[in-house]
Amino acid sequence: MLTTRQKADYLMQVVKLRKLMILKDNPAFTYQHSNRKQAISRVHSLQDKIVEAAVDNQVYGNSDSVNHQKTVEQTISDALENDRKRVYKADDNRYINTAVKLNTEKYSEILNNRLNIESVKLEAKIEEEIRKSKYNGLSEAEIKKRLTSEFGDTAKLRTANIIRDALHTNEVNIGFIHALQNGFQYKVWNNGRGKGKVRAWHRARFISSVSIDEPFDIFGSYHAEMMYPGDLNGGAENVANCRCWLSYTNNRPSNLRRKGSSSRSNSNSTQKNNDRTSNKKSIGSKIKERVSSAIGSARNKVSSAKTNIKNKISSKVKEKVNATITRIQNKFKKEAKNVLSSNSSKSNKSNKEPMELPIDAEELTRKIKKHIIGKDAELISELIITLSKRIPNRHKEYGAARFITGQVKKRFTSNNSKYIKIPKKIRKKGLENGLHSLLHNHPFGESPLPSPEDIYVYMLYKVRFGISFNENGMVILRNKRPTANKRNAKKISREISSIVMEIKLNYHTYNPNWCDLTKEEYYKSLNEYTIKNNEYFYKLYKQRLKKYGIDIIFIKL
């Protein structure tokens, strides 16, 4: 008869055995390792041929070098494509297919270069080995046998590591694209292996979580920016033998939360503490008296000490201190004047390009009336013309709000502002009287399509018309359900975020060398691509927002 403890131990053993069998029989798990082993085996057999050719060349002097380029490309291609089928089974995702193709090209080049370097080193080592006297008296066949056994494992460990790195980069890259397409907003860096084996600068607690379309800042022996673990932009120092991974979330990570986000919990806890201490007023009053008397005596001591120190300072020291202060003040005044003069000259130069719409008021009203019937068309036209005339620099962003009362308020936002900031006075009036429209210009060279932040503001303040424009054109968002869409503001903004991600993915497919560009060059090139394909992306906006009762109108200026 088994005891309770023995039964529990027996059940635990059964559970462990069951888990082991499931893990062993899991086709995805076994397929992952068999695919990796197959790729490594093919590269190792290729390396055996390279070693044999190098030995024959040194012993017999009649061997040709092995052309390994095609074999390497085919091996990497098969491994990454098989891995793609395991991670993401669908074949119709062109972004993932393009990523696999680019990873194949990059890692084929890395492996080919590694084999070339190792071949040169191997030739030199074999030549040096043959010169030694220990091979005297041996036949050519015996020399070949000994050299092959000695150098047979050359570079096999490094080539196996390259295969593993290629598969890791491919898996994380596919997961990243999949997360983008599913509308996740944030990504979190996670350690790949046990404590002590992870690179110090790859530890998750040192790498801040970021928005999904922004790179991680990695600080090793040099600063690098990586979109995901295994990103080749990080260099060999960050990619080689890295096993870190990402998790994705729509909840804002702690390092990106605004200050005071936990004020509710703090206020609740203080309220509870007040309730607990309310019954102990008598004890608290006594403690308060003692503390106040101690503080009073301490203050008296400090004030007396201050007066003693002041009296000890001589008049000569005071004069020296005053002279030093005046000298420093004069120096700062001169520097401030120079900075102000240089800034004013720069601002004068930057403000030489005012906003000029390539259309007059009548023509603009006529085009708007094609899509919007009634007085709204004239109001929108008037507002756009009013704002455009007040924009002193087309490379900066400005905004204005119009209320149902007909009043126009000007609001100039900061340079490169992503969020339309409305002053408290204007916001209060707008919510009282009802906002009619909210509009802003996009800086010159950008697409006029509204950003997710623009859409969020339009929905949040229940505007009937949200307008973004520049010399490239004008987009009017007509909001037919202001009250209902205010509740869905975040959801609608995420819908536009997915379109923006799709624009970026399309651009990355169009320009595979985007990762070699600087940040300024990248955004300039991305905007040019978006403007060029504006009609296609405008249709995406129209299709995705239709279910929310939102109509998108694009007018070419």
Side-chain angles (χ1 to χ4, degrees):
M1 190 73 180
L2 295 173
T3 63
T4 308
R5 180 63 183 272
Q6 286 173 333
K7 286 179 182 177
D9 291 341
Y10 175 74
L11 287 171
M12 286 295 294
Q13 292 296 328
V14 171
V15 170
K16 286 181 180 178
L17 185 63
R18 177 62 183 155
K19 284 184 178 178
L20 181 63
M21 293 304 293
I22 291 169
L23 187 64
K24 188 177 179 182
D25 294 337
N26 186 341
F29 181 81
T30 53
Y31 183 68
Q32 174 189 4
H33 288 278
S34 64
N35 180 42
R36 183 190 300 170
K37 286 178 181 177
Q38 185 180 2
I40 291 171
S41 177
R42 287 176 68 178
V43 173
H44 282 182
S45 63
L46 175 63
Q47 182 62 21
D48 288 337
K49 291 178 182 178
I50 294 169
V51 171
E52 188 179 359
V55 171
D56 286 349
N57 191 40
Q58 291 299 323
V59 175
Y60 303 112
N62 62 352
S63 176
D64 295 328
S65 59
V66 177
N67 186 6
H68 49 74
Q69 186 172 353
K70 288 185 179 179
T71 308
V72 166
E73 288 175 0
Q74 191 61 45
T75 302
I76 297 287
S77 177
D78 290 346
L80 298 193
E81 182 58 28
N82 288 336
D83 201 50
R84 193 274 305 163
K85 289 176 182 176
R86 180 184 67 83
V87 177
Y88 191 85
K89 293 180 181 179
D91 296 327
D92 56 350
N93 193 316
R94 61 193 179 106
Y95 304 115
I96 289 177
N97 293 336
T98 302
V100 173
K101 185 180 177 183
L102 290 173
N103 288 329
T104 300
E105 291 174 1
K106 289 174 183 177
Y107 272 99
S108 297
E109 185 180 355
I110 290 168
L111 188 52
N112 273 316
N113 290 338
R114 172 51 58 189
L115 290 174
N116 286 329
I117 292 166
E118 294 296 337
S119 296
V120 173
K121 288 181 180 178
L122 183 64
E123 292 275 357
K125 285 179 182 178
I126 293 171
E127 186 178 357
E128 185 181 351
E129 190 70 16
I130 289 174
R131 288 175 185 166
K132 294 179 180 178
S133 57
K134 65 179 180 179
Y135 292 100
N136 293 341
L138 296 177
S139 65
E140 290 179 341
E142 289 173 333
I143 294 171
K144 178 185 175 180
K145 187 177 180 181
R146 288 182 63 174
L147 288 172
T148 304
S149 64
E150 187 172 347
F151 295 101
D153 292 331
T154 302
K156 284 189 176 180
L157 180 61
R158 289 181 177 177
T159 53
N161 286 338
I162 290 171
I163 294 292
R164 291 190 187 96
D165 292 338
L167 290 167
H168 177 251
T169 296
N170 199 51
E171 287 173 12
V172 183
N173 194 359
I174 290 169
F176 172 63
I177 293 170
H178 196 221
L180 281 173
Q181 292 178 327
N182 279 276
F184 284 99
Q185 291 184 308
Y186 305 103
K187 53 188 177 184
V188 182
W189 190 285
N190 297 279
N191 295 341
R193 289 176 293 179
K195 190 176 180 182
K197 293 184 178 180
V198 182
R199 289 173 170 91
W201 59 94
H202 273 206
R203 294 187 189 281
R205 66 175 180 271
F206 298 144
I207 300 176
S208 297
S209 302
V210 294
S211 297
I212 196 165
D213 59 341
E214 292 180 6
F216 292 100
D217 283 324
I218 311 294
F219 294 92
S221 58
Y222 61 89
H223 175 239
E225 291 184 342
M226 298 173 69
M227 293 299 289
Y228 49 85
D231 185 357
L232 288 168
N233 290 324
E237 182 195 30
N238 288 304
V239 174
N241 212 23
C242 172
R243 294 296 174 266
C244 297
W245 55 284
L246 295 182
S247 58
Y248 304 92
T249 179
N250 282 325
N251 297 323
R252 188 186 289 270
S254 57
N255 64 285
L256 296 175
R257 286 178 190 158
R258 294 174 184 172
K259 292 180 180 178
S261 59
S262 60
S263 59
R264 185 178 296 176
S265 61
N266 291 337
S267 63
N268 290 337
S269 62
T270 52
Q271 188 176 357
K272 288 177 183 177
N273 290 334
N274 290 335
D275 293 339
R276 288 173 188 171
T277 55
S278 60
N279 296 326
K280 300 179 182 179
K281 288 183 179 179
S282 59
I283 298 170
S285 59
K286 290 179 181 178
I287 294 169
K288 191 175 180 181
E289 288 175 4
R290 289 179 185 176
V291 171
S292 59
S293 63
I295 289 170
S297 62
R299 280 178 180 170
N300 292 331
K301 288 179 181 178
V302 170
S303 61
S304 62
K306 278 184 179 179
T307 52
N308 291 333
I309 291 166
K310 284 181 180 179
N311 293 331
K312 288 178 182 178
I313 297 174
S314 63
S315 59
K316 289 183 179 180
V317 173
K318 286 183 180 179
E319 287 176 4
K320 286 183 180 180
V321 169
N322 291 331
T324 306
I325 290 169
T326 52
R327 189 171 68 251
I328 292 169
Q329 284 177 344
N330 292 332
K331 185 180 178 181
F332 277 124
K333 282 179 182 178
K334 286 181 181 179
E335 289 179 358
K337 283 181 181 179
N338 294 330
V339 170
L340 286 170
S341 61
S342 63
N343 284 341
S344 62
S345 62
K346 285 180 183 177
S347 62
N348 289 332
K349 288 179 182 178
S350 63
N351 291 336
K352 287 182 180 178
E353 292 185 89
M355 178 81 174
E356 287 184 10
L357 289 177
I359 191 170
D360 58 11
E362 291 181 5
E363 181 67 17
L364 181 64
T365 308
R366 189 180 63 79
K367 284 193 172 188
I368 293 172
K369 278 184 177 179
K370 283 185 179 180
H371 306 280
I372 300 169
I373 300 168
K375 293 181 180 180
D376 288 329
E378 294 178 359
L379 291 173
I380 291 169
S381 176
E382 178 194 349
L383 186 55
I384 291 167
I385 295 296
T386 304
L387 179 61
S388 62
K389 285 179 180 178
R390 294 177 182 177
I391 293 176
N393 188 352
R394 62 179 181 162
H395 296 281
K396 292 185 180 181
E397 187 175 328
Y398 302 88
R402 179 162 197 154
F403 310 116
I404 291 172
T405 56
Q407 193 177 9
V408 177
K409 288 286 181 182
K410 182 173 67 173
R411 166 60 181 165
F412 292 163
T413 60
S414 59
N415 191 18
N416 297 326
S417 60
K418 293 182 179 179
Y419 191 85
I420 301 172
K421 297 177 181 177
I422 306 169
K424 289 182 180 178
K425 291 180 181 178
I426 297 177
R427 187 166 57 205
K428 190 176 178 183
K429 278 188 177 181
L431 294 175
E432 285 175 359
N433 301 324
L435 271 169
H436 173 273
S437 52
L438 188 66
L439 85 162
H440 67 290
N441 71 298
H442 281 195
F444 177 71
E446 293 184 6
S447 168
L449 290 170
S451 67
E453 291 85 1
D454 297 341
I455 299 289
Y456 180 74
V457 174
Y458 296 158
M459 299 302 110
L460 191 65
Y461 294 108
K462 300 195 294 185
V463 296
R464 288 170 58 193
F465 295 97
I467 304 143
S468 53
F469 68 97
N470 58 17
E471 290 93 331
N472 295 308
M474 176 177 60
V475 176
I476 301 174
L477 178 145
R478 182 164 53 189
N479 187 7
K480 298 174 185 176
R481 305 174 195 162
T483 306
N485 287 335
K486 182 181 179 180
R487 293 193 296 270
N488 294 322
K490 288 185 179 179
K491 188 178 179 182
I492 296 168
S493 178
R494 282 199 294 267
E495 195 83 46
I496 301 304
S497 294
S498 66
I499 297 175
V500 172
M501 293 307 165
E502 191 165 340
I503 291 171
K504 288 185 179 180
L505 286 170
N506 274 291
Y507 170 70
H508 295 165
T509 308
Y510 164 77
N511 182 15
N513 299 320
W514 64 272
C515 52
D516 298 328
L517 302 174
T518 62
K519 198 170 184 179
E520 290 180 0
E521 290 171 343
Y522 171 77
Y523 282 109
K524 185 180 178 183
S525 178
L526 176 63
N527 279 317
E528 288 173 357
Y529 173 80
T530 309
I531 292 167
K532 188 178 178 182
N533 299 277
N534 184 79
E535 200 65 33
Y536 170 72
F537 298 127
Y538 154 66
K539 286 178 182 177
L540 280 182
Y541 272 73
K542 197 173 181 68
Q543 290 168 4
R544 302 275 178 90
L545 295 178
K546 189 176 181 181
K547 59 186 174 184
Y548 298 104
I550 297 172
D551 192 20
I552 295 284
I553 302 156
F554 175 71
I555 298 173
K556 183 73 178 172
L557 297 180

